[in-house]
Amino acid sequence: METTLKRIILGVTGGVAAYKAAELARLLVKRGIEVRVVMTAAAGHFVGAATFQAITGQPVYADLWDARVANGMAHIDLSRDADLILVAPASADFLAKLAHGRADDLLSTLCLARDCPLLAAPAMNRQMWENPATRRNVDLLMDDNVELIGPAHGEQACGETGYGRMLEPEAILDAVDAYLQPKTLRGLNVLITAGPTYEAIDAVRGITNRSSGKMGYAVAKAAAEAGAKVTLVTGPTGLATPEVAETVAVTSAQEMLEAVEARIDETDIFIGVAAVADYYVLNPSENKIKKDAHILTLELAPNPDILANVSSLDKPPFCVGFAAESENLEEYAELKRKRKHLPLIVANDAKKAIGSDEVELVLLDDAGRHVLDKTDKATQARRLIDHVAKLYNAGNP
Ligand code: C5P
Protein backbone atom coordinates (compact mmCIF):
# COMPACT_ATOMS: atom_id res chain seq x y z
CA MET A 1 0.00 0.00 0.00
CA GLU A 2 1.38 3.45 -0.93
CA THR A 3 1.56 6.08 1.80
CA THR A 4 2.36 9.76 2.01
CA LEU A 5 3.04 9.57 5.74
CA LYS A 6 6.59 10.22 6.87
CA ARG A 7 6.38 10.89 10.59
CA ILE A 8 3.66 10.04 13.04
CA ILE A 9 3.11 10.26 16.74
CA LEU A 10 1.53 7.13 18.13
CA GLY A 11 -0.21 7.95 21.40
CA VAL A 12 -0.81 5.00 23.71
CA THR A 13 -3.22 5.39 26.63
CA GLY A 14 -4.14 3.05 29.47
CA GLY A 15 -6.17 0.05 28.35
CA VAL A 16 -5.71 -3.66 27.82
CA ALA A 17 -5.55 -3.02 24.07
CA ALA A 18 -2.24 -1.18 24.62
CA TYR A 19 -0.47 -4.44 23.78
CA LYS A 20 -1.92 -4.22 20.26
CA ALA A 21 -0.28 -0.80 19.87
CA ALA A 22 3.07 -2.58 19.69
CA GLU A 23 1.92 -4.47 16.59
CA LEU A 24 0.49 -1.24 15.17
CA ALA A 25 3.87 0.45 15.69
CA ARG A 26 5.58 -2.46 13.93
CA LEU A 27 3.26 -2.23 10.91
CA LEU A 28 3.84 1.52 10.66
CA VAL A 29 7.62 1.10 10.86
CA LYS A 30 7.45 -1.63 8.21
CA ARG A 31 5.99 0.94 5.86
CA GLY A 32 8.98 3.20 6.32
CA ILE A 33 7.19 5.65 8.62
CA GLU A 34 9.10 7.24 11.51
CA VAL A 35 7.05 6.48 14.62
CA ARG A 36 7.42 8.43 17.87
CA VAL A 37 5.52 6.76 20.69
CA VAL A 38 4.08 8.91 23.46
CA MET A 39 2.59 6.98 26.37
CA THR A 40 0.38 8.10 29.22
CA ALA A 41 1.30 7.04 32.75
CA ALA A 42 -1.57 4.52 32.76
CA ALA A 43 -0.35 2.94 29.50
CA GLY A 44 2.86 2.04 31.30
CA HIS A 45 0.85 -0.36 33.50
CA PHE A 46 -0.08 -2.42 30.44
CA VAL A 47 3.00 -2.30 28.21
CA GLY A 48 6.59 -1.18 28.67
CA ALA A 49 8.36 1.71 26.96
CA ALA A 50 11.25 -0.63 26.07
CA THR A 51 8.94 -2.60 23.74
CA PHE A 52 8.07 0.50 21.72
CA GLN A 53 11.63 1.74 21.76
CA ALA A 54 12.88 -1.56 20.31
CA ILE A 55 10.19 -1.66 17.64
CA THR A 56 10.43 1.96 16.51
CA GLY A 57 14.14 2.57 17.06
CA GLN A 58 13.12 5.94 18.55
CA PRO A 59 13.05 7.27 22.10
CA VAL A 60 9.69 6.86 23.82
CA TYR A 61 8.16 9.85 25.62
CA ALA A 62 5.82 9.97 28.56
CA ASP A 63 6.77 13.02 30.56
CA LEU A 64 5.81 16.62 29.88
CA TRP A 65 9.04 17.65 31.58
CA ASP A 66 11.31 15.26 29.65
CA ALA A 67 14.91 16.46 30.11
CA ARG A 68 15.89 15.01 26.70
CA VAL A 69 14.06 17.87 24.99
CA ALA A 70 16.56 20.73 25.15
CA ASN A 71 14.14 23.67 25.40
CA GLY A 72 11.76 22.01 27.83
CA MET A 73 8.99 22.11 25.24
CA ALA A 74 8.43 18.48 24.32
CA HIS A 75 4.81 19.23 23.38
CA ILE A 76 5.87 21.64 20.65
CA ASP A 77 9.03 19.85 19.53
CA LEU A 78 7.41 16.46 19.12
CA SER A 79 4.30 17.59 17.26
CA ARG A 80 6.08 20.18 15.11
CA ASP A 81 7.06 17.89 12.27
CA ALA A 82 4.44 15.15 12.68
CA ASP A 83 2.13 14.41 9.72
CA LEU A 84 -0.42 12.81 12.01
CA ILE A 85 -1.18 11.94 15.61
CA LEU A 86 -2.77 8.54 16.06
CA VAL A 87 -3.99 7.61 19.55
CA ALA A 88 -4.48 3.85 19.87
CA PRO A 89 -5.88 2.73 22.18
CA ALA A 90 -7.78 5.85 23.21
CA SER A 91 -9.38 5.28 26.64
CA ALA A 92 -12.69 6.80 27.73
CA ASP A 93 -10.76 9.13 30.02
CA PHE A 94 -8.50 10.25 27.20
CA LEU A 95 -11.45 10.95 24.88
CA ALA A 96 -12.97 13.05 27.67
CA LYS A 97 -9.72 14.98 28.01
CA LEU A 98 -9.49 15.56 24.26
CA ALA A 99 -13.11 16.68 24.03
CA HIS A 100 -12.60 19.27 26.73
CA GLY A 101 -9.18 20.52 25.64
CA ARG A 102 -7.40 19.36 28.79
CA ALA A 103 -3.61 19.37 28.72
CA ASP A 104 -2.33 17.81 31.91
CA ASP A 105 0.12 15.29 30.50
CA LEU A 106 2.41 15.09 27.49
CA LEU A 107 0.03 13.30 25.12
CA SER A 108 -2.99 15.51 25.79
CA THR A 109 -0.77 18.60 25.55
CA LEU A 110 0.63 17.41 22.21
CA CYS A 111 -2.89 16.87 20.91
CA LEU A 112 -3.89 20.38 21.91
CA ALA A 113 -0.73 21.94 20.44
CA ARG A 114 -0.91 20.01 17.15
CA ASP A 115 -0.92 21.31 13.62
CA CYS A 116 -1.84 18.01 11.95
CA PRO A 117 -4.81 15.60 11.80
CA LEU A 118 -5.72 13.66 14.95
CA LEU A 119 -7.14 10.15 14.74
CA ALA A 120 -8.13 8.04 17.72
CA ALA A 121 -9.05 4.36 18.04
CA PRO A 122 -11.29 4.10 21.13
CA ALA A 123 -11.00 1.05 23.39
CA MET A 124 -13.11 0.61 26.50
CA ASN A 125 -15.74 -1.46 28.23
CA ARG A 126 -19.05 -1.39 26.35
CA GLN A 127 -20.87 0.40 29.16
CA MET A 128 -18.26 3.12 29.21
CA TRP A 129 -18.67 3.50 25.42
CA GLU A 130 -22.48 3.65 25.74
CA ASN A 131 -22.46 6.03 28.69
CA PRO A 132 -24.13 9.38 27.84
CA ALA A 133 -20.99 11.21 28.95
CA THR A 134 -18.87 9.32 26.40
CA ARG A 135 -21.54 9.82 23.73
CA ARG A 136 -21.39 13.59 24.38
CA ASN A 137 -17.60 13.54 24.20
CA VAL A 138 -17.68 11.60 20.93
CA ASP A 139 -20.06 14.19 19.43
CA LEU A 140 -17.78 17.01 20.55
CA LEU A 141 -14.76 15.30 19.03
CA MET A 142 -16.53 14.76 15.71
CA ASP A 143 -17.48 18.46 15.67
CA ASP A 144 -13.79 19.23 16.21
CA ASN A 145 -12.82 17.04 13.21
CA VAL A 146 -11.14 14.42 15.34
CA GLU A 147 -11.49 11.19 13.35
CA LEU A 148 -12.59 8.20 15.43
CA ILE A 149 -11.63 4.77 14.12
CA GLY A 150 -13.94 2.10 15.53
CA PRO A 151 -14.51 0.74 18.11
CA ALA A 152 -15.42 -2.75 16.95
CA HIS A 153 -18.12 -5.02 18.29
CA GLY A 154 -17.05 -8.21 20.01
CA GLU A 155 -15.83 -9.93 23.12
CA GLN A 156 -14.08 -7.71 25.64
CA ALA A 157 -11.30 -8.28 28.14
CA CYS A 158 -13.88 -7.89 30.95
CA GLY A 159 -15.87 -10.85 29.55
CA GLU A 160 -18.74 -8.74 28.20
CA THR A 161 -19.70 -8.45 24.54
CA GLY A 162 -20.54 -5.22 22.74
CA TYR A 163 -19.03 -2.12 21.16
CA GLY A 164 -15.77 -1.03 22.70
CA ARG A 165 -13.04 -3.32 21.36
CA MET A 166 -10.19 -1.54 19.69
CA LEU A 167 -9.97 -2.35 15.98
CA GLU A 168 -7.17 -4.72 15.01
CA PRO A 169 -3.94 -2.97 13.97
CA GLU A 170 -4.39 -3.83 10.26
CA ALA A 171 -7.89 -2.34 10.29
CA ILE A 172 -6.61 0.81 12.01
CA LEU A 173 -3.98 1.25 9.31
CA ASP A 174 -6.62 0.72 6.67
CA ALA A 175 -8.77 3.46 8.22
CA VAL A 176 -5.80 5.82 8.42
CA ASP A 177 -5.10 5.18 4.72
CA ALA A 178 -8.71 5.83 3.83
CA TYR A 179 -8.74 9.06 5.83
CA LEU A 180 -5.64 10.34 4.04
CA GLN A 181 -6.92 9.84 0.50
CA PRO A 182 -7.43 13.12 -1.40
CA LYS A 183 -11.13 13.92 -1.70
CA THR A 184 -11.03 14.24 -5.50
CA LEU A 185 -14.59 12.98 -6.08
CA ARG A 186 -16.29 14.86 -3.25
CA GLY A 187 -20.01 15.32 -3.87
CA LEU A 188 -20.14 13.11 -6.99
CA ASN A 189 -22.41 10.08 -7.50
CA VAL A 190 -20.45 7.07 -8.69
CA LEU A 191 -22.15 3.87 -9.84
CA ILE A 192 -20.04 0.74 -10.05
CA THR A 193 -20.85 -2.79 -11.25
CA ALA A 194 -18.80 -5.66 -9.85
CA GLY A 195 -18.47 -9.41 -9.73
CA PRO A 196 -19.82 -12.01 -12.13
CA THR A 197 -23.42 -12.52 -13.15
CA TYR A 198 -25.21 -15.84 -12.83
CA GLU A 199 -27.55 -17.03 -15.55
CA ALA A 200 -29.86 -19.80 -14.40
CA ILE A 201 -30.10 -23.08 -16.33
CA ASP A 202 -32.57 -24.57 -13.86
CA ALA A 203 -33.48 -24.27 -10.18
CA VAL A 204 -29.97 -25.19 -8.96
CA ARG A 205 -27.59 -24.78 -11.91
CA GLY A 206 -26.37 -21.82 -13.85
CA ILE A 207 -23.70 -20.25 -16.05
CA THR A 208 -21.25 -17.89 -14.41
CA ASN A 209 -17.54 -17.02 -14.55
CA ARG A 210 -14.58 -16.85 -12.19
CA SER A 211 -14.68 -13.11 -11.45
CA SER A 212 -14.15 -12.71 -7.68
CA GLY A 213 -15.48 -9.16 -7.46
CA LYS A 214 -12.31 -8.04 -5.65
CA MET A 215 -11.37 -5.39 -8.20
CA GLY A 216 -14.87 -3.90 -8.38
CA TYR A 217 -15.15 -3.78 -4.59
CA ALA A 218 -11.72 -2.16 -4.34
CA VAL A 219 -12.77 0.47 -6.89
CA ALA A 220 -15.97 1.12 -4.91
CA LYS A 221 -13.99 1.55 -1.69
CA ALA A 222 -11.45 3.84 -3.37
CA ALA A 223 -14.21 6.02 -4.84
CA ALA A 224 -15.87 6.28 -1.41
CA GLU A 225 -12.53 7.22 0.16
CA ALA A 226 -12.20 9.95 -2.48
CA GLY A 227 -15.45 11.46 -1.15
CA ALA A 228 -17.93 10.06 -3.70
CA LYS A 229 -21.42 8.78 -2.91
CA VAL A 230 -20.98 5.25 -4.19
CA THR A 231 -23.59 2.77 -5.32
CA LEU A 232 -22.27 -0.73 -5.89
CA VAL A 233 -24.35 -3.08 -8.02
CA THR A 234 -22.87 -6.49 -7.44
CA GLY A 235 -23.32 -9.97 -8.81
CA PRO A 236 -22.85 -12.94 -6.46
CA THR A 237 -19.47 -12.83 -4.67
CA GLY A 238 -18.23 -14.16 -1.36
CA LEU A 239 -17.02 -10.70 -0.31
CA ALA A 240 -18.15 -8.67 2.69
CA THR A 241 -20.38 -5.69 1.88
CA PRO A 242 -18.12 -2.65 1.60
CA GLU A 243 -18.78 0.65 3.39
CA VAL A 244 -20.43 2.56 0.57
CA ALA A 245 -23.68 4.53 0.38
CA GLU A 246 -25.68 1.72 -1.25
CA THR A 247 -25.02 -1.88 -2.24
CA VAL A 248 -27.49 -3.62 -4.56
CA ALA A 249 -27.13 -7.39 -4.85
CA VAL A 250 -28.25 -8.83 -8.17
CA THR A 251 -27.93 -12.21 -9.84
CA SER A 252 -28.41 -12.05 -13.63
CA ALA A 253 -27.21 -9.55 -16.23
CA GLN A 254 -30.81 -8.47 -16.78
CA GLU A 255 -31.20 -7.66 -13.07
CA MET A 256 -27.86 -5.81 -13.14
CA LEU A 257 -29.06 -3.76 -16.12
CA GLU A 258 -32.32 -2.88 -14.33
CA ALA A 259 -30.49 -1.86 -11.14
CA VAL A 260 -28.14 0.34 -13.17
CA GLU A 261 -30.91 1.91 -15.27
CA ALA A 262 -32.93 2.75 -12.16
CA ARG A 263 -30.04 4.87 -10.85
CA ILE A 264 -28.29 6.16 -13.94
CA ASP A 265 -30.00 9.58 -14.12
CA GLU A 266 -28.32 10.73 -10.89
CA THR A 267 -24.95 9.19 -11.81
CA ASP A 268 -21.93 11.37 -12.59
CA ILE A 269 -19.44 8.54 -13.15
CA PHE A 270 -20.22 4.96 -14.18
CA ILE A 271 -17.53 2.29 -13.84
CA GLY A 272 -18.34 -1.14 -15.28
CA VAL A 273 -16.05 -3.58 -13.54
CA ALA A 274 -18.48 -6.51 -13.61
CA ALA A 275 -17.70 -9.55 -15.72
CA VAL A 276 -21.19 -9.70 -17.18
CA ALA A 277 -22.09 -13.07 -18.73
CA ASP A 278 -22.29 -12.73 -22.51
CA TYR A 279 -25.26 -15.09 -22.76
CA TYR A 280 -28.28 -16.15 -20.77
CA VAL A 281 -30.24 -19.38 -21.03
CA LEU A 282 -33.49 -19.14 -22.93
CA ASN A 283 -36.35 -20.78 -21.01
CA PRO A 284 -34.54 -21.92 -17.86
CA SER A 285 -36.31 -24.76 -16.09
CA GLU A 286 -38.13 -23.90 -12.87
CA ASN A 287 -37.26 -27.31 -11.46
CA LYS A 288 -34.01 -29.24 -11.40
CA ILE A 289 -33.48 -30.88 -14.79
CA LYS A 290 -33.34 -34.65 -14.35
CA LYS A 291 -30.29 -36.43 -15.70
CA ASP A 292 -30.83 -38.95 -18.51
CA ALA A 293 -28.77 -40.54 -21.29
CA HIS A 294 -29.64 -37.93 -23.96
CA ILE A 295 -27.62 -34.99 -25.13
CA LEU A 296 -28.89 -31.85 -23.46
CA THR A 297 -28.84 -28.70 -25.59
CA LEU A 298 -29.05 -25.29 -24.00
CA GLU A 299 -30.25 -22.39 -26.08
CA LEU A 300 -28.33 -19.22 -25.27
CA ALA A 301 -29.27 -15.67 -26.17
CA PRO A 302 -26.96 -12.64 -25.92
CA ASN A 303 -27.24 -10.50 -22.78
CA PRO A 304 -27.66 -6.73 -22.99
CA ASP A 305 -24.37 -4.81 -22.86
CA ILE A 306 -24.90 -2.67 -19.76
CA LEU A 307 -21.94 -0.38 -20.31
CA ALA A 308 -22.76 0.18 -24.01
CA ASN A 309 -26.37 0.97 -23.05
CA VAL A 310 -25.18 3.57 -20.54
CA SER A 311 -22.53 5.14 -22.77
CA SER A 312 -25.00 5.55 -25.63
CA LEU A 313 -27.52 7.50 -23.55
CA ASP A 314 -28.27 11.05 -24.74
CA LYS A 315 -26.50 12.48 -21.72
CA PRO A 316 -24.21 9.70 -20.53
CA PRO A 317 -22.28 9.90 -17.30
CA PHE A 318 -18.48 9.71 -17.51
CA CYS A 319 -18.06 6.03 -18.44
CA VAL A 320 -15.18 3.75 -17.58
CA GLY A 321 -14.90 0.18 -18.87
CA PHE A 322 -12.74 -2.80 -18.00
CA ALA A 323 -11.34 -5.11 -20.64
CA ALA A 324 -10.06 -8.49 -19.53
CA GLU A 325 -8.24 -10.03 -22.47
CA SER A 326 -6.07 -13.10 -22.79
CA GLU A 327 -4.24 -11.94 -25.98
CA ASN A 328 -3.48 -8.67 -27.84
CA LEU A 329 -4.46 -6.90 -24.61
CA GLU A 330 -4.08 -3.25 -25.50
CA GLU A 331 -5.21 -3.56 -29.12
CA TYR A 332 -8.44 -5.32 -28.19
CA ALA A 333 -9.06 -3.02 -25.24
CA GLU A 334 -8.66 0.09 -27.39
CA LEU A 335 -11.06 -1.34 -29.98
CA LYS A 336 -13.57 -1.91 -27.19
CA ARG A 337 -13.06 1.63 -25.91
CA LYS A 338 -13.82 3.04 -29.36
CA ARG A 339 -16.76 0.74 -29.97
CA LYS A 340 -18.41 1.56 -26.64
CA HIS A 341 -17.51 5.30 -26.87
CA LEU A 342 -15.63 5.37 -23.56
CA PRO A 343 -13.27 8.14 -22.44
CA LEU A 344 -11.33 5.52 -20.46
CA ILE A 345 -10.86 1.76 -20.44
CA VAL A 346 -8.82 -0.35 -18.05
CA ALA A 347 -7.01 -3.25 -19.70
CA ASN A 348 -5.91 -6.27 -17.72
CA ASP A 349 -4.69 -9.75 -18.49
CA ALA A 350 -7.67 -12.05 -17.95
CA LYS A 351 -5.56 -15.08 -17.15
CA LYS A 352 -3.49 -13.30 -14.52
CA ALA A 353 -6.11 -10.97 -13.03
CA ILE A 354 -9.05 -13.23 -12.22
CA GLY A 355 -9.13 -14.05 -8.50
CA SER A 356 -5.58 -12.83 -7.84
CA ASP A 357 -4.73 -10.16 -5.27
CA GLU A 358 -2.16 -8.31 -7.38
CA VAL A 359 -2.62 -6.98 -10.92
CA GLU A 360 -0.92 -4.86 -13.54
CA LEU A 361 -3.29 -2.47 -15.29
CA VAL A 362 -3.01 -0.38 -18.43
CA LEU A 363 -5.28 2.66 -18.68
CA LEU A 364 -6.19 3.70 -22.22
CA ASP A 365 -7.69 7.13 -22.86
CA ASP A 366 -7.57 9.86 -25.52
CA ALA A 367 -4.08 10.85 -24.36
CA GLY A 368 -2.66 7.34 -24.80
CA ARG A 369 -1.60 4.57 -22.46
CA HIS A 370 -0.72 4.70 -18.76
CA VAL A 371 0.80 1.64 -17.16
CA LEU A 372 -0.01 0.99 -13.48
CA ASP A 373 2.76 -1.36 -12.30
CA LYS A 374 1.73 -4.61 -10.66
CA THR A 375 0.58 -4.19 -7.07
CA ASP A 376 -2.38 -5.00 -4.80
CA LYS A 377 -5.88 -4.28 -6.04
CA ALA A 378 -6.56 -1.67 -3.32
CA THR A 379 -3.61 0.44 -4.46
CA GLN A 380 -4.52 -0.03 -8.14
CA ALA A 381 -8.08 1.03 -7.40
CA ARG A 382 -6.85 4.23 -5.75
CA ARG A 383 -4.55 4.98 -8.70
CA LEU A 384 -7.44 4.37 -11.08
CA ILE A 385 -9.78 6.65 -9.12
CA ASP A 386 -7.09 9.33 -9.13
CA HIS A 387 -6.91 9.09 -12.94
CA VAL A 388 -10.70 9.06 -13.32
CA ALA A 389 -10.97 12.15 -11.11
CA LYS A 390 -8.37 14.02 -13.19
CA LEU A 391 -10.17 13.25 -16.47
CA TYR A 392 -13.61 13.94 -15.00
CA ASN A 393 -12.59 17.19 -13.36
CA ALA A 394 -10.77 18.36 -16.52
CA GLY A 395 -14.00 17.90 -18.48
CA ASN A 396 -16.19 19.42 -15.74
CA PRO A 397 -14.23 22.33 -14.33
O1 C5P B 1 -17.41 -8.19 -22.08
P1 C5P B 1 -16.59 -7.03 -22.55
O2 C5P B 1 -15.16 -7.38 -22.75
O3 C5P B 1 -17.21 -6.31 -23.70
O4 C5P B 1 -16.59 -6.03 -21.30
C1 C5P B 1 -16.02 -4.76 -21.36
C2 C5P B 1 -16.74 -3.83 -20.43
O5 C5P B 1 -18.13 -3.81 -20.69
C3 C5P B 1 -16.59 -4.12 -18.94
O6 C5P B 1 -16.44 -2.87 -18.33
C4 C5P B 1 -17.92 -4.77 -18.57
O7 C5P B 1 -18.29 -4.49 -17.24
C5 C5P B 1 -18.88 -4.12 -19.54
N1 C5P B 1 -19.98 -5.03 -19.97
C6 C5P B 1 -21.27 -4.74 -19.60
N2 C5P B 1 -22.29 -5.55 -20.02
C7 C5P B 1 -22.03 -6.64 -20.78
C8 C5P B 1 -20.72 -6.95 -21.13
C9 C5P B 1 -19.71 -6.13 -20.70
O8 C5P B 1 -21.51 -3.75 -18.91
N3 C5P B 1 -23.03 -7.41 -21.17
Side-chain angles (χ1 to χ4, degrees), residues 119 275 296 327 355 380:
L119 286 79
L296 176 68
E327 53 184 345
Q380 292 298 43

Coordinates of all heavy atoms in Angstrom, one line a residue, residues 119 275 296 327 355 380:
L119 N -6.3 11.3 14.8 CA -7.1 10.1 14.7 C -7.0 9.4 16.0 O -6.0 9.3 16.6 CB -6.7 9.3 13.6 CG -7.1 9.8 12.2 CD1 -6.1 10.8 11.7 CD2 -7.1 8.6 11.2
A275 N -17.9 -8.6 -14.6 CA -17.7 -9.6 -15.7 C -19.1 -10.1 -16.1 O -19.5 -11.1 -15.5 CB -16.7 -10.7 -15.3
L296 N -28.1 -33.0 -23.9 CA -28.9 -31.8 -23.5 C -28.4 -30.6 -24.2 O -27.2 -30.3 -24.1 CB -28.8 -31.7 -22.0 CG -29.5 -30.5 -21.4 CD1 -31.0 -30.6 -21.5 CD2 -29.1 -30.3 -19.9
E327 N -5.3 -12.2 -25.0 CA -4.2 -11.9 -26.0 C -4.5 -10.5 -26.6 O -5.5 -10.0 -26.4 CB -4.3 -13.0 -27.1 CG -5.7 -13.2 -27.6 CD -5.8 -14.3 -28.6 OE1 -4.8 -14.8 -29.1 OE2 -6.9 -14.7 -28.9
G355 N -9.3 -13.4 -9.8 CA -9.1 -14.0 -8.5 C -7.8 -13.7 -7.8 O -7.7 -13.9 -6.6
Q380 N -4.2 -0.3 -6.7 CA -4.5 0.0 -8.1 C -5.8 0.7 -8.2 O -6.0 1.6 -9.1 CB -4.7 -1.4 -8.9 CG -3.4 -2.1 -9.1 CD -2.3 -1.4 -9.9 OE1 -2.1 -0.2 -9.7 NE2 -1.7 -2.0 -10.8

